[in-house]
């Protein structure tokens, strides 16, 4: 209960005081998926079953994915699994299991271990390679082999009779050159390489080098005919091409600093990878070509992510060259498998230029250009599709010719308005990957009219009012969506429907707060969207209870309360509750034939919406007074419309 003095109120009145915000990226078909591995060693691609085998030495497993990178299997209990080699018939993947001193055979159909071949205590085999009818592997400072054709596989160690390696050699072979085996030591400087003739079943060294021209080797690959070996070493800053006959440099694939991966496809296409942060990561060459036909870069996924880095020996071709697989890390401290589509085809870009705006049903012109590092053949064509409000699935506009230099141009008459998109597709050819480009034009639409009743009106608290939206002429759509957003509330759809024959859509709504209604016409193919708002106010409930009076009487047609001058009147206001709300208590006094302001004050309401105000004495007699309680918008809150309660008339007597 709050108190104010009537003497103070009168003094206020008498003193007249008032209280008052496409360019070099990989092709769209390229993809990437996270790998469930904690380390990486090697990769083998099975073209028959379209699966990719990836070894994880730390977890002692081989993870298997499909060609999209989705995991389809996992072979465990392979401690220290490193190098992988696929059999010629694609039936078996051989995994070097370093910490088990064994080579393990994995059935590519069942994805289960089918055999295990011990290589001898302490051998710690790595890098298996099939050549000369045997499975070869590197181990501590030498080369061993397994004769899998024997009734009982026979392991032979010490195949390098000269025993010149200072570490476990990495091996490379090629199905097209079954008698050639290349070997090199990882990370060693100067670079140590050797080539062997294994056609007899034993390893006869035919060439060797300790070249200061290279060092810190990470990967090597043998050409399909066995005449050359391509080396990826930290130095020099390109991929060396060496003759297998004498290991003399016979060419190079220009890449960049820190080469760390290489793989050669059956037709001789070379994928050369580097550990590069500020340049392209992969360079794809046709056999013997001086310039790459395709390059790839693995950018950061976001500014806070670590820089993606191609892993050593992290490249592998699909046998049909349709895909190139790359293992990349760290990406937020994890590994990912990138699947690169049509890597031997030059990347293509389609640029499309449509006008920014155009009138409906009038001819417009769209131009564009095909571009690539490799020239396009004469007589090419692109396919054009138009997408608009009437044909959201797209409508083919047919084939459009490509002129010399890759330019193209076509005209169209858009039947629908709104956003119209022209998508141009190049299907690709033997030298170029497929590509797509698009541009949009905003096509004009006819304006319509839309009105909504109620704007600016105030309604009683809790009243159920009916509002009507009226829609003018349109092309096809006659649907409106009505939204309501009460003060401090969320905007929600309260009515969706088709207007009647007169264009009207009515809806009822029970009002408890000031509310903004919005009628929305979403437009159609020839009529522009339209929206209109109507803001309505909602009063609060106000009631005043009077106590401590000794009588009431009718004076000039209104009820007047009588109080003894020594009694303090109590006025209890009940009002619609809201957090922070106050009721404005106003006093007026009648003098010289009219009512005069005697001051006002805002008193906070309880959580139940109640406020009791006591007028304290001494009270003067002979004055006619009146009071009322009001809710004043923005005095405490702005949820409802300003609402005044009824005047309560009273006086004091002796």
């Amino acid at each position: 209960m709050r108190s104010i003095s009537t003497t103070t109120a009168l003094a206020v009145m008498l003193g007249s005081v008032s209280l008052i915000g496409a360019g070099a990226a990989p092709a769209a078909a390229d993809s990437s998926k996270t790998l469930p591995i904690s380390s990486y060693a090697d990769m083998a691609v099975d073209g028959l079953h379209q699966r990719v085998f990836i070894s994880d030495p730390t977890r002692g497993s081989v993870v298997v994915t499909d060609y999209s990178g989705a995991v389809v299997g996992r072979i465990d209990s392979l401690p220290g699994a490193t190098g992988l080699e696929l059999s010629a018939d694609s039936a078996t993947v051989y995994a070097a299991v370093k910490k088990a001193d064994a080579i393990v055979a994995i059935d590519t159909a069942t994805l289960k271990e089918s055999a295990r071949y011990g290589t001898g205590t302490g051998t710690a085999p790595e890098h298996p390679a099939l050549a000369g009818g045997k499975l070869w592997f590197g181990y501590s400072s030498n080369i061993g082999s397994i004769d899998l054709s024997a009734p009982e596989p026979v392991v032979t160690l010490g195949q390098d009779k000269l025993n010149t390696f200072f570490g476990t050699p990495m091996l490379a072979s090629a199905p097209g050159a079954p008698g050639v085996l290349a070997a090199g030591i990882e990370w060693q400087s100067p670079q140590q390489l050797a080539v062997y003739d294994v056609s007899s079943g034993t390893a006869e060294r035919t060439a060797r080098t300790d070249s200061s021209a290279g060092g810190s080797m990470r990967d090597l690959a043998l050409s399909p005919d066995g005449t050359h070996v391509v080396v990826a070493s930290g130095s020099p800053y390109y991929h060396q091409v060496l003759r297998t006959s004498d290991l003399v440099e016979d060419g190079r694939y220009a890449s960049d600093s820190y080469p760390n991966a290489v793989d050669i496809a059956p037709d001789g296409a070379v994928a050369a990878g580097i550990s590069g942060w500020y340049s392209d990561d992969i360079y794809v060459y046709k056999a013997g070509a001086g310039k790459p036909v395709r390059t790839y870069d693995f950018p950061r996924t976001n500014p806070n992510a670590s820089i993606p880095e191609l892993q050593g020996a992290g490249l592998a071709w699909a046998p049909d060259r349709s895909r190139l697989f790359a293992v990349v890390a760290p990406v937020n401290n994890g590994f990912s498998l990138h699947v690169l589509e049509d890597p031997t085809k030059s990347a293509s870009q389609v640029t499309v230029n449509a006008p920014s705006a155009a009138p409906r049903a009038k001819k417009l012109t769209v131009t564009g250009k095909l571009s690539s590092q490799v020239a396009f053949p004469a007589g090419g064509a692109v396919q054009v599709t138009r997408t608009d409000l009437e044909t959201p699935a797209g409508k083919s506009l047919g084939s459009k010719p490509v002129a010399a230099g890759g330019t193209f141009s076509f005209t169209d008459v858009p039947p629908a308005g709104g956003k119209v998109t022209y998508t141009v597709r190049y299907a690709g050819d033997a030298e170029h990957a497929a590509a797509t480009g698009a541009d949009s034009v905003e096509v004009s639409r006819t304006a319509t009219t839309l009105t909504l009743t109620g704007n600016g009106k105030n309604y009683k608290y809790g009243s159920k009012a009916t509002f009507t939206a009226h829609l003018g002429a349109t092309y096809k759509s006659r649907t409106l969506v009505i939204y309501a957003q009460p003060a401090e509330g969320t905007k929600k759809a309260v009515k969706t429907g088709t207007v009647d024959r007169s264009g009207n859509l009515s809806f009822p709504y029970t009002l408890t707060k000031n509310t903004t209604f919005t009628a929305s016409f979403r437009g159609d193919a020839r009529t522009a969207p339209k929206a209109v708002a109507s803001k309505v106010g909602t009063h609060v409930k106000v009631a005043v209870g009077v106590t401590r009076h000794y009588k009431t009487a009718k004076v000039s047609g209104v009820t007047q309360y009588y109080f003894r001058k020594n009694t303090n009147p109590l006025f209890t206001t009940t009002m619609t509750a809201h957090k922070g709300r106050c009721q404005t208590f106003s006093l007026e006094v009648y003098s010289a034939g009219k009512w005069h302001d005697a001051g006002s004050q805002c008193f906070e309401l309880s959580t139940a919406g109640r406020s009791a105000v006591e007028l304290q004495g001494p009270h003067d007699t002979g004055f006619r007074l009146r009071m009322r309680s009001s809710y004043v918008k923005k005095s405490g809150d702005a949820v409802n419309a300003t609402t005044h309660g009824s005047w309560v008339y009273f006086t004091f007597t002796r």
Side-chain angles (χ1 to χ4, degrees):
M1 184 173 69
R2 303 296 180 90
S3 299
I4 59 174
S5 168
T6 54
T7 301
T8 301
L10 289 172
V12 168
M13 181 274 293
L14 295 173
S16 300
V17 178
S18 60
L19 304 175
I20 308 232
D30 297 345
S31 62
S32 174
K33 283 190 171 62
T34 300
L35 288 170
I37 61 176
S38 56
S39 63
Y40 170 76
D42 200 11
M43 178 166 39
V45 180
D46 171 12
L48 178 64
H49 302 98
Q50 294 198 342
R51 289 172 173 170
V52 182
F53 293 76
I54 299 167
S55 60
D56 180 354
T58 300
R59 292 187 179 179
S61 63
V62 171
V63 170
V64 188
T65 76
D66 60 19
Y67 267 18
S68 72
V71 175
V72 297
R74 185 187 194 105
I75 302 93
D76 293 313
S77 301
L78 305 175
T82 54
L84 302 174
E85 179 76 343
L86 179 70
S87 64
D89 60 3
S90 295
T92 305
V93 165
Y94 297 100
V97 185
K98 185 176 180 180
K99 293 183 180 180
D101 294 327
I103 302 291
V104 170
I106 299 171
D107 189 304
T108 56
T110 64
L111 303 184
K112 296 182 182 299
E113 181 178 326
S114 59
R116 183 171 291 225
Y117 311 109
T119 56
T121 302
T123 51
E126 299 183 63
H127 312 299
L130 288 164
K134 292 184 177 182
L135 179 65
W136 303 82
F137 59 89
Y139 70 101
S140 54
S141 303
N142 215 304
I143 297 173
S145 66
I146 304 176
D147 185 356
L148 299 173
S149 64
E152 290 292 331
V154 177
V155 176
T156 303
L157 299 178
Q159 285 276 20
D160 183 358
K161 305 302 182 184
L162 300 177
N163 195 24
T164 54
F165 288 115
F166 297 99
T168 299
M170 175 183 285
L171 306 182
S173 61
V180 181
L181 184 70
I185 302 297
E186 291 182 274
W187 297 109
Q188 185 170 302
S189 294
Q191 189 165 271
Q192 185 180 11
L193 300 170
V195 178
Y196 301 87
D197 179 354
V198 295
S199 56
S200 66
T202 59
E204 300 294 334
R205 195 174 72 191
T206 58
R208 180 181 181 277
T209 182
D210 291 297
S211 173
S212 59
S216 297
M217 188 198 78
R218 298 301 312 282
D219 200 8
L220 75 166
L222 197 63
S223 64
D225 61 3
T227 60
H228 292 85
V229 60
V230 180
V231 182
S233 299
S235 172
Y237 290 169
Y238 58 85
H239 282 66
Q240 295 174 292
V241 181
L242 309 176
R243 291 192 299 260
T244 53
S245 60
D246 54 13
L247 291 176
V248 172
E249 187 169 311
D250 193 33
R252 64 180 61 179
Y253 290 106
S255 48
D256 213 312
S257 55
Y258 309 119
N260 70 341
V262 61
D263 196 34
I264 303 178
D267 69 344
V270 174
I274 68 169
S275 176
W277 284 9
Y278 307 108
S279 57
D280 290 333
D281 298 284
I282 301 174
Y283 304 77
V284 179
Y285 297 84
K286 291 190 174 182
K291 293 183 179 181
V293 70
R294 193 78 170 266
T295 62
Y296 294 89
D297 185 32
F298 301 123
R300 295 181 191 225
T301 54
N302 64 68
N304 296 322
S306 52
I307 297 176
E309 185 176 359
L310 179 69
Q311 296 300 284
L315 292 175
W317 286 97
D320 61 359
R321 292 193 325 168
S322 63
R323 294 167 179 82
L324 178 64
F325 301 93
V327 176
V328 175
V331 180
N332 296 326
N333 299 319
F335 292 80
S336 61
L337 178 65
H338 288 251
V339 183
L340 310 176
E341 302 275 353
D342 290 330
T344 59
K345 295 183 178 182
S346 180
S348 305
Q349 292 83 39
V350 179
T351 304
V352 183
N353 297 302
S356 59
R360 192 191 67 80
K362 299 291 184 180
K363 184 166 68 174
L364 57 79
T365 300
V366 179
T367 61
K369 184 177 181 179
L370 293 179
S371 57
S372 174
Q373 292 181 342
V374 177
F376 290 92
V382 292
Q383 299 295 319
V384 179
T385 301
R386 181 186 65 222
T387 304
D388 55 31
L389 292 173
E390 285 196 314
T391 54
K395 176 181 175 59
S396 174
L397 300 185
S399 177
K400 307 298 179 182
V402 177
T407 61
F408 58 84
S409 176
F410 60 89
T411 60
D412 185 44
V413 179
K419 183 179 180 180
V420 178
T421 300
Y422 293 94
T423 301
V424 179
R425 294 179 175 86
Y426 181 64
D429 54 50
E431 300 292 331
H432 300 87
T436 300
D439 197 14
S440 298
V441 53
E442 194 64 33
V443 177
S444 64
R445 288 185 278 179
T446 303
T448 187
T449 59
L450 182 61
T451 59
L452 182 58
T453 60
N455 188 47
K457 293 184 178 180
N458 292 326
Y459 295 83
K460 289 183 178 180
Y461 182 89
S463 62
K464 190 174 185 179
T466 298
F467 303 90
T468 300
H470 177 78
L471 179 65
T474 62
Y475 171 54
K476 283 186 178 181
S477 176
R478 302 295 290 163
T479 299
L480 294 178
V481 180
I482 309 296
Y483 299 91
Q485 184 171 13
E488 298 183 354
T490 302
K491 185 177 181 179
K492 294 182 179 179
V494 295
K495 178 78 173 182
T496 301
T498 303
V499 299
D500 61 20
R501 292 182 178 180
S502 299
N504 297 326
L505 178 66
S506 298
F507 62 97
Y509 192 85
T510 300
L511 294 157
T512 59
K513 296 180 179 179
N514 296 341
T515 303
T516 299
F517 296 101
T518 304
S520 176
F521 171 64
R522 294 176 178 173
D524 57 32
R526 299 185 185 180
T527 315
K530 183 79 172 181
V532 63
S534 177
K535 297 181 178 180
V536 304
T538 304
H539 290 303
V540 299
K541 290 181 178 180
V542 182
V544 178
V546 184
T547 56
R548 300 177 182 174
H549 56 285
Y550 69 90
K551 74 170 184 175
T552 62
K554 289 287 186 178
V555 177
S556 299
V558 298
T559 299
Q560 181 167 286
Y561 292 85
Y562 290 82
F563 296 89
R564 302 295 183 187
K565 70 173 186 176
N566 294 323
T567 300
N568 292 332
L570 183 64
F571 300 95
T572 302
T573 299
T574 303
M575 186 180 290
T576 305
H578 186 78
K579 183 179 180 181
R581 178 164 291 178
C582 65
Q583 64 100 350
T584 300
F585 187 99
S586 302
L587 277 177
E588 290 188 356
V589 62
Y590 192 76
S591 176
K594 62 181 180 180
W595 291 97
H596 298 271
D597 182 16
S600 63
Q601 187 170 340
C602 207
F603 294 99
E604 185 177 355
L605 295 168
S606 70
T607 56
R610 293 173 64 85
S611 172
V613 177
E614 181 184 68
L615 294 184
Q616 294 182 341
H619 305 295
D620 295 323
T621 61
F623 289 97
R624 192 179 182 201
L625 301 144
R626 68 179 183 180
M627 64 75 60
R628 71 177 177 184
S629 292
S630 304
Y631 163 78
V632 179
K633 184 179 179 182
K634 295 185 179 179
S635 181
D637 68 86
V639 170
N640 290 93
T642 296
T643 308
H644 298 292
S646 299
W647 287 106
V648 175
Y649 296 83
F650 63 99
T651 189
F652 293 97
T653 63
R654 294 184 182 274

